[in-house]
Every structure is written in structure tokens, then in C-alpha cells.
Amino acid sequence: MPNPAQVARLLAAVKDLPGRGPHLYAFFGCMYYAAMRSAEVIHLQKSQCRLPTSGWGLRNLKGGVVTAGKEWTDDGAVHEIHSLKRRAAKATRPVPIPPVLVRMLREHIRTFGVAPDGRLFRNAAGNYIDASAYGITWGASA
């Protein structure tokens, strides 16, 4: 596990990357500062976030998005929304978020807006972010 100084350098490197780097800066911030799983970050909606102008914020996580493949879903979609890991289907998980992440998310929303369904993170076509995309970006920053 990287220490806080290393994480700050890695996140800064992501933000400075061309292409999707700036869009994934807060994505990776969510994983580090709020201990979120990537599937939870992909599914994160603005309505789940309380982002005050200063101080600590709060997220009320509802689930995550997993890539299942068309042949493994009932409706033929590539992605499926799942409940939170090891929780009841309608359970939520409140996650306090530190001021640094509140600032990152507020900046992200100001810069990139949100998807029509309220999601904070999406690919260029407005769809879910694929693991390969954020994996490539993280690898380029390291």
C-alpha cells in the first residue's frame, strides 16, 4: 500500500496524463480516500454524495456495476448492477469522505458534469468505464 505522499504523486501523475487521465483523477481518489471498490466508483451517482463547500462529506453507496458479458446477463447487457458486496439487496453503506476528496469530486463535477443518469464517471460515449481503460491509465501513471 502506498503512503500518502506516494498516493499524492500517483494521483497528480494521473491528472497530468493526456486523454482520460484528468477524468479518472477523482475516480482513483475515491478508491484511495474512501476505500471504494472500482465497481462502486463506476456506479457512483451525484445523488449519493454530500459535498459541502468545506469539511468532510458523505456518500451513501447503493451498489456497483460489474462486467458480466452479454451471454451471462438476463437482458443481454454487458454490465450488471449488483448490490453492495456481502450486503442485502437494498442495503446502503454510508462512507465518510475527507475534505481532500470532497474537493476532488467538486472539481470533477465542475469540469466534467455528470451523465444523464447522474453517474460521475463515464467513458467518452457516456457509458460505463471499462476495467481496461482505468487499468491502462493507472499503469501509465506509475
Side-chain angles (χ1 to χ4, degrees):
M1 182 67 152
N3 66 43
Q6 291 168 324
V7 168
R9 285 193 302 272
L10 285 166
L11 290 174
V14 166
K15 190 175 184 180
D16 289 341
L17 288 172
R20 69 175 78 97
H23 187 264
L24 293 176
Y25 169 67
F27 179 93
F28 291 118
C30 289
M31 294 172 77
Y32 179 74
Y33 292 113
M36 293 174 69
R37 295 175 178 89
S38 56
E40 295 169 339
V41 182
I42 291 168
H43 187 56
L44 184 63
Q45 297 178 337
K46 184 178 178 183
S47 63
Q48 296 171 272
C49 302
R50 186 174 50 120
L51 303 171
T53 55
S54 64
W56 284 74
L58 184 71
R59 284 195 216 162
N60 196 24
L61 300 179
K62 297 177 182 176
V65 174
V66 295
T67 304
K70 293 177 183 180
E71 61 276 0
W72 300 104
T73 61
D74 293 334
D75 62 0
V78 174
H79 299 91
E80 267 186 343
I81 297 174
H82 282 231
S83 60
L84 293 169
K85 196 170 187 177
R86 296 188 184 95
R87 305 219 181 199
K90 298 207 184 244
T92 60
R93 177 169 63 106
V95 178
I97 51 176
V100 64
L101 184 54
V102 169
R103 287 188 300 274
M104 289 170 78
L105 290 169
R106 289 174 65 83
E107 176 187 330
H108 177 85
I109 293 167
R110 251 189 333 273
T111 304
F112 300 103
V114 297
D117 65 358
R119 282 179 297 114
L120 271 61
F121 304 101
R122 59 200 180 281
N123 65 18
N127 299 319
Y128 293 115
I129 295 173
D130 290 329
S132 61
Y134 64 79
I136 289 167
T137 301
W138 186 251
S141 71

